[in-house]
Amino acid sequence: MTQHLKKAELHCHIEGAAAPQLVLAQARKYNEPTESFIRDGSYIWNDFTTFLHAYDSASKLFRTEEDFALLAETYLTELAEAGTIFSELFVSPDHGEASGLGAEAYIRGLGAGMERARQRFGIESRMTVIGVRHLGAERVIAAAEFAARRPHPLISGFNMAGDERMFHVRDFVPAFDIARDAGLGITIHAGELCGAYSVRDALDYVKPSRIGHGVRAVEDMALVERIRDEGVVLEVCPGSNIALSVFPSFKAHPLRLFVDMGLKVTLNSDDPPFFHSSLAREYEIASTEMGFSDQEINQMTRTAIEAAFVDEETRNRLLQRL
Ligand SMILES: Nc1ncnc2[nH]cnc12
Ligand SMILES: [Zn+2]
């Protein structure tokens, strides 16, 4: 059992953390249909493209600052109740715009929910701004410029998510340069839908301190050794990888190999209710399905705090709590 272990999460999309029950309540509030993407209390999708459609549809049912405050507070409450002391939330200004309230109000609402959860449970959280890859370079640059303006004190990182198969990472170098020059932490989704080359390109062009997933680096052992040697931290999401058929089973997942080779890895839920998961379940999977000891899992939590996009005073305070 891992319920007693302290936890930390670096890779969770806040729109992807919206439970179907909460989305159904929002749909009743706005008198909107949900049959196209929710059935019997579960999201309907069968591949990455239809997953993104369900994700975008759920997100559009959060339309005010209070809606997003409720979303953030609800998710962070679940995390706190599972023993989580730190959470980085991936937030998407483009989804704030698509919901009609605008990026600034979207961020303000999320920040209010994060502060309420901190007051109630002591859970520390930060926001990493997402550029959506399949919207193209201009939109990702706009997201980076938005993040670089630091519209909220809890924004501390920049990331690119969305459809990894679209465009080439070199197209997004200007966006990452803007974010890096603004002092934001840099991570990027790579090696999830696309193979080892995608991870290698991310390292070469973006020089991130962390990579979202990165798990298909296992197709090229020299690349796995490079990740280890360069100390790049992998935000591993086992439940997501199995749900999206990146690997056929937990037994086939490379997390155990990565740990045995000395890579820095962390445990994450990505879009928990979409993948019938949660951070608590990811910790449980690591223990029961992948055979990690409590000590190995605690090291992954420590790695997450050490790689978190936070100031050193906050980092030290969090390490004390482990
Ligand atoms: N697993 C995932 N991969 C890429 N982009 C995403 N956006 C939300 N979840 C994602
Ligand atoms: Zn993700």
Side-chain angles (χ1 to χ4, degrees):
M1 267 309 283
T2 55
Q3 170 61 17
H4 65 293
L5 298 182
K6 291 268 186 357
K7 299 173 180 69
E9 185 167 47
L10 299 183
H11 188 127
C12 182
H13 302 259
I14 188 56
E15 297 86 2
Q21 297 318 318
L22 178 59
V23 171
L24 288 168
Q26 292 293 121
R28 283 192 296 275
K29 175 178 176 181
Y30 294 116
N31 191 25
E32 295 278 359
T34 57
E35 291 71 28
S36 70
F37 67 102
I38 296 179
R39 185 184 308 124
D40 303 331
S42 289
Y43 290 115
I44 307 165
W45 59 270
N46 53 33
D47 60 13
F48 188 76
T49 302
T50 49
F51 154 70
L52 281 183
H53 168 73
Y55 179 102
D56 291 346
S57 303
S59 177
K60 285 195 179 84
L61 288 169
F62 295 84
R63 299 179 175 174
T64 66
E65 284 189 43
E66 182 44 40
D67 287 349
F68 280 104
L70 175 65
L71 173 55
E73 184 178 9
T74 302
Y75 183 59
L76 291 170
T77 298
E78 176 198 322
L79 285 188
E81 287 172 349
T84 310
I85 61 171
F86 179 74
S87 159
E88 267 181 42
L89 299 173
F90 292 165
V91 300
S92 169
D94 289 286
H95 284 84
E97 297 293 336
S99 284
L101 75 165
E104 285 78 6
Y106 162 83
I107 292 291
R108 256 198 320 276
L110 290 170
M114 292 160 74
E115 179 54 23
R116 290 200 308 238
R118 193 184 64 79
Q119 296 286 348
R120 288 173 59 198
F121 304 103
I123 182 168
E124 197 70 51
S125 58
R126 294 293 184 278
M127 290 185 257
T128 285
V129 170
I130 287 273
V132 181
R133 182 170 184 148
H134 53 267
L135 296 182
E138 288 317 304
R139 294 297 312 144
V140 175
I141 285 173
E145 287 170 338
F146 174 81
R149 289 197 295 276
R150 303 303 186 104
H152 193 284
L154 293 180
I155 288 177
S156 60
F158 183 72
N159 185 3
M160 181 166 70
D163 195 329
E164 186 183 349
R165 300 164 296 194
M166 299 283 283
F167 308 111
H168 187 284
V169 69
R170 76 169 73 84
D171 304 326
F172 303 99
V173 166
F176 281 96
D177 288 349
I178 290 165
R180 192 182 304 101
D181 292 350
L184 292 166
I186 301 297
T187 179
I188 179 172
H189 280 63
E192 176 194 27
L193 301 185
C194 298
Y197 77 90
S198 176
V199 180
R200 191 179 311 109
D201 287 345
L203 294 178
D204 290 343
Y205 286 94
V206 171
K207 303 172 188 54
S209 63
R210 299 173 0 203
I211 286 185
H213 301 290
V215 287
R216 288 187 57 183
V218 72
E219 299 163 8
D220 173 351
M221 291 312 286
L223 176 62
V224 176
E225 288 163 1
R226 175 181 173 188
I227 293 167
R228 177 195 60 203
D229 298 344
E230 293 182 6
V232 179
V233 175
L234 298 186
E235 305 155 5
V236 181
C237 312
S240 167
N241 294 156
I242 303 313
L244 286 169
S245 305
V246 175
F247 299 102
S249 68
F250 291 117
K251 292 281 179 279
H253 195 286
L255 185 55
R256 164 51 71 189
L257 172 67
F258 289 171
V259 170
D260 291 349
M261 288 180 64
L263 276 74
K264 291 179 181 175
V265 297
T266 63
L267 288 172
N268 307 274
S269 66
D270 203 6
D271 306 279
F274 286 81
F275 304 141
H276 304 289
S277 191
S278 65
L279 185 62
R281 179 172 175 264
E282 298 297 334
Y283 272 68
E284 199 53 19
I285 287 166
S287 172
T288 58
E289 300 283 338
M290 303 172 115
F292 289 108
S293 66
D294 284 2
Q295 195 231 334
E296 289 174 313
I297 293 171
N298 286 334
Q299 179 53 57
M300 296 179 198
T301 304
R302 177 170 293 275
T303 298
I305 303 292
E306 290 166 348
F309 298 150
V310 294
D311 60 274
E312 291 315 308
E313 191 272 330
T314 301
R315 191 186 324 281
N316 291 330
R317 192 157 26 84
L318 288 165
L319 289 171
Q320 292 300 317
R321 291 176 62 183
L322 283 185

